[in-house]
Amino acid sequence: MIDALTVLALILVLAHFSFPLAYYHYLKKKWLNKPWDVRRDPRYKPRVSIIVPTYNEVEFIRKKLNDIYVQDYPRGLIEVIIADSGSEDGTLEAVKEWMLDHTDLNLKLMVDPGRKGKLYALLKALNYISPDSEIVVFTDADAFWEPSALSKMVSYFVDPNVGSVTACIYYTDVDIHEEAYRNYYNVVRVAESKIYATPVHNGPFLAIRADLLMKHGLPDFPGSDDSSFGSFIAFIGYRAIQVDDIVVKEPIRGSQVRRRIRRAYHLIINFMTTKKYAKRRGVYKYNSAFERIWRIEWWLHIVNPWLLLISVTLLVLSAVSGSLIALALIGAGSALLVLNIYRVWILQQVYLIVAMLRSSWTKEVMWRR
Ligand code: GDP
Ligand code: MN
């Protein structure tokens, strides 16, 4: 006989998996390959400010500056601001040396004495952009651009509805976990962008219309980071899109588990706070297309992981009290962990739950690599 606990567990686990799968397939079939309804023009060449936050980046900073230097964009229209938080590994010396060899690129160096986190540095750097700059690009020191990255990125801003643009990120190293995660993630983000906007942006490369920044600022609440810039831009009434025609590559470095927990943590903070924040600031504008996307993503991040946890708990309880079916289901669910995509999904649910618990007692701003 199948007991009530097991039935309930089955219902929850089905709900947990079927909803995101259905959303993914709907986006992939219906939206992913649609043409963009965004006006683009390669002749649009506004002045741009590129902000690069750095903390101990001596290994990558020269390559980063070279990547910017060889962009197929008029060099005179580019300004670069390095926002450093007291690097101790020679990053500053490397930048200064590079500047001497490349005097035709406008580069400013902003140095904070102490480390107050990436977001703090990014927001502070906004005070240094020149007033006639039309687009602000935020990009990590370890994110490498193809030479056309900037010009492609800028061309999307011809459309006055576009408030921010982010790129898909690819990895220079092979990591099957990261690949499975990105495959799912990129399909969803790009397809949502074609509908209207996506609620999560990619810190390694994202650009925002400067006048929006100047007028409305950016999310600066505790625990927030650049991934929530997308939601904020969408909540103030502009399209926040992830495009698929720019190649940005990032090396995988440091502890991946720590990185994934941090990523989950910022996702949780974004879905719990950004909408309230926009409303509190009085800049919130209702948009039905984005509200639908937001509600689904909110559910997937904040509620859906718990369905899995509750379901597993019920199955364990039921197995302990003698249900063979529950035991078999636990066995089958565990066996599936050999499948990479399934394992990545389950781990992501664990990270989200850990992040949610963690966010309820601490708001972190700084992370070890
Ligand atoms: P990950 O790619 O998310 O794992 O994070 P990274 O360690 O690559 O950091 C992303 C970017 O933020 C890099 O350019 C770092 O140098 C920079 N960064 C990280 N922490 C700080 C900080 O405290 N201050 C500043 N100014 N930059 C930081
Ligand atoms: Mn990085």
Side-chain angles (χ1 to χ4, degrees), residues 9 12-13 16 303-316 346 349-350 353-354 357:
L12 289 176
V13 86
H16 172 83
V303 181
N304 208 44
W306 297 98
L307 302 187
L308 183 68
L309 183 66
I310 296 169
S311 171
V312 170
T313 311
L314 292 179
L315 283 179
V316 169
I346 299 290
Q349 308 311 303
V350 174
I353 288 173
V354 170
L357 296 174

Side-chain angles (χ1 to χ4, degrees), residues 36-47:
W36 286 97
D37 62 336
V38 172
R39 196 146 59 83
R40 284 181 84 175
D41 188 349
R43 286 165 308 178
Y44 174 57
K45 300 282 182 216
R47 188 171 289 281

Side-chain angles (χ1 to χ4, degrees), residues 53-55 57 83 85 115 117 121 141-142 250 253 259 262 369:
T54 55
Y55 181 71
E57 291 290 0
S85 297
R115 190 176 178 201
D142 62 342
E250 195 189 3
R253 51 187 187 155
R259 179 165 201 242
R262 159 167 45 108
R369 204 167 269 145

